[in-house]
Amino acid sequence: MSEQLAKELQLEEENAAFPEVVAAAEGPFITGENIDTSSDLMLAQMLQMEFDREYDAQLRREEKKINGDSKVSISFENYRKVHPYDSDSSEDEVDWQDTRHDPYRADKPTTTPRRGFIGKGKDITTKHDEVVCGRKNTARMENFAPEFQVGDGIGMDLKLSNQVFNALKQHAYSEERRSARLHEKKEHSTAEKAVDPKTRLLLYKMVNSGMLETITGCISTGKESVVFHAYGGSATEDKVIPPECAIKVFKTTLNEFKNRDKYIKDDYRFKDRFSKLNPRKIIRMWAEKEMHNLTRMQNAGIPCPQVVILKKHVLVMSFIGQDQVPAPKLKDVTLSSEDMKKAYYQILNMMQQLYRECNLVHADLSEYNMLWHDGKVWLIDVSQSVEPTHPHGLEFLFRDCRNVSQFFQKGGVAEALNERELFNAVSGLNITADNEVDFQAEIEALEKMNEDHVQNHGKKLSTFSSDGDPPIYDE
């Protein structure tokens, strides 16, 4: 009798510790005296059930540890092996994460049927009802751009009139376009005295590689480029870095270049690479063009900046000046009559060298693009320079002669030639015209003849005849 009593007490303790569980997937599973433990399947089911309960208990502990006292909680309900009747939650609680309806989210206004009204008799409500339209407009605000904060108008039962909704819609659209423009400008263009992220990365690489020691600041701005001053770094085996450098960053905006394609599309050195379909390549080509022109001038001994390196649209040159102070432009410096006369003859000699030895025409020569440093004139800004065989090369040369002649005649240089005499002296041509109109007409006739010759016989030999000067060949 005592053994039977002890067995019953043991069973009661086991039932209290492990309550009976009915497995939904495996069918009815009952614990008690009548369990046949000789069946391997039954033992496996019991062990699996015990493992699942331990696994669920571990998940609950993880939930409690992660959630803590937070108002927003996470649930591992989908990962549990035994389903919610075994959880600690009461039957009255509802897990809103397992339901499709959120009680804290206001319902969107119901749509009006196609017939245009709901209700009957005095209770009829049309689609033009003020309250219905106001709620619909509030719901439609959710379609605005994510950057435009509209708040929880539906939850507050906000009613917007058509006038207010249209004004907000137009404002949201304007803000979206403005944001897109600012992003485009930041990513793809250089500002007046700043650089875009891609250009800044190029400058960082130059400093990190040791080519430049430091970049001090902006020294000049123009329509096409921004110029910075920098101190040179350590020299390499194949490059000599000057103590002070000028970094010319060509602006990546296309507005300044859309009217200057004539300087590059007819230049045979770049004609094959010129593309109207991809205008951003023009900017890099413009920087490359200045590098090649400066190299020609340097080889001919013309005073100009020395090219250090070209990286995409960033050109590093030697700095014309001293101690971060750039050399003054010829228009800003006050010279004595002797220095002015000396500068004139130096420019005349440089124009002849540029035309005959470098086979180039500056195309924008004026007192704004000439610097006075160490008692002599230095030429800068030669990105637009072209060869005399360019369809407009002689026109550009005549314009340069006019600018130089007018500047030095106003400066009191009595020996200064007029533009027609200066043109003949530089080019070696002998155009004898009594007035400027006939002179320009002969220039255009020579350009037309040269263009026809280039198209028929190639582009290396110039057909301009000069008095005693040899024909001009390309390098």
Side-chain angles (χ1 to χ4, degrees), residues 157-388:
D157 196 20
L158 186 65
K159 305 175 186 66
L160 292 179
S161 64
N162 291 337
Q163 182 179 2
V164 174
F165 173 76
N166 291 333
L168 288 175
K169 181 180 178 181
Q170 183 63 33
H171 180 66
Y173 180 63
S174 301
E175 285 296 311
E176 186 177 3
R177 288 192 303 173
R178 187 180 71 88
S179 177
R181 287 197 302 268
L182 290 177
H183 179 74
E184 177 74 13
K185 184 175 181 180
K186 178 182 178 181
E187 293 296 325
H188 300 291
S189 67
T190 51
E192 186 65 20
K193 291 187 179 181
V195 293
D196 60 343
K198 293 182 179 180
T199 307
R200 192 178 299 114
L201 182 61
L202 290 176
L203 299 179
Y204 286 159
K205 288 182 178 180
M206 291 181 184
V207 175
N208 292 336
S209 65
M211 180 182 300
L212 300 177
E213 181 179 349
T214 181
I215 301 175
T216 57
C218 179
I219 57 176
S220 176
T221 59
K223 295 184 298 182
E224 303 166 359
S225 61
V226 182
V227 182
F228 297 90
H229 175 271
Y231 285 107
S234 57
T236 60
E237 296 180 358
D238 55 342
K239 290 187 180 296
V240 178
I241 310 298
E244 292 185 271
C245 297
I247 306 174
K248 190 171 186 178
V249 179
F250 289 84
K251 293 183 179 180
T252 53
T253 50
L254 302 179
N255 296 332
E256 307 299 340
F257 291 91
K258 62 183 179 181
N259 296 325
R260 302 181 70 81
D261 55 357
K262 61 182 179 180
Y263 292 97
I264 196 169
K265 71 177 182 180
D266 293 323
D267 193 330
Y268 77 84
R269 296 176 294 172
F270 305 93
K271 187 174 183 179
D272 295 336
R273 295 165 53 193
F274 182 82
S275 174
K276 273 286 188 181
L277 300 178
N278 191 359
R280 293 195 179 276
K281 288 185 178 179
I282 303 176
I283 299 163
R284 295 186 184 179
M285 210 176 296
W286 198 262
E288 183 181 347
K289 193 167 184 279
E290 176 152 7
M291 181 195 69
H292 289 306
N293 293 338
L294 285 174
T295 303
R296 285 193 187 185
M297 295 169 61
Q298 184 180 350
N299 293 336
I302 299 176
C304 65
Q306 176 187 354
V307 176
V308 178
I309 194 172
L310 171 67
K311 290 289 187 180
K312 295 184 180 180
H313 59 284
V314 178
L315 180 62
V316 182
M317 308 170 289
S318 60
F319 179 69
I320 309 300
Q322 191 174 3
D323 298 333
Q324 302 185 33
V325 180
K329 298 177 182 178
L330 206 57
K331 73 177 186 67
D332 297 328
V333 67
T334 303
L335 300 178
S336 62
S337 58
E338 190 66 26
D339 287 339
M340 185 68 76
K341 183 178 178 180
K342 175 184 175 182
Y344 172 74
Y345 282 108
Q346 183 187 352
I347 293 173
L348 177 59
N349 183 47
M350 286 193 298
M351 291 177 70
Q352 291 175 339
Q353 279 185 286
L354 198 64
Y355 186 89
R356 300 178 183 180
E357 298 180 25
C358 302
N359 196 23
L360 287 174
V361 174
H362 191 284
D364 193 21
L365 188 62
S366 66
E367 61 273 20
Y368 293 89
N369 291 327
M370 294 183 284
L371 304 180
W372 181 259
H373 181 63
D374 287 342
K376 59 182 178 180
V377 179
W378 297 68
L379 294 184
I380 61 170
D381 194 8
V382 292
S383 56
Q384 72 289 325
S385 299
V386 298
E387 297 195 346

Side-chain angles (χ1 to χ4, degrees), residues 104-109 134-158 160 165 168-169 172 176:
Y104 299 106
R105 182 177 180 85
D107 294 330
K108 291 187 178 181
R135 288 174 176 166
K136 284 185 178 180
N137 291 336
T138 303
R140 289 164 64 188
M141 284 198 306
E142 292 187 352
N143 298 327
F144 290 170
E147 297 82 9
F148 193 80
Q149 304 295 333
V150 296
D152 186 16
I154 298 178
M156 296 186 295
D157 196 20
L158 186 65
L160 292 179
F165 173 76
L168 288 175
K169 181 180 178 181
E176 186 177 3

Side-chain angles (χ1 to χ4, degrees), residues 119-125:
K120 294 182 179 180
K122 295 182 179 179
D123 298 330
I124 189 171
T125 302

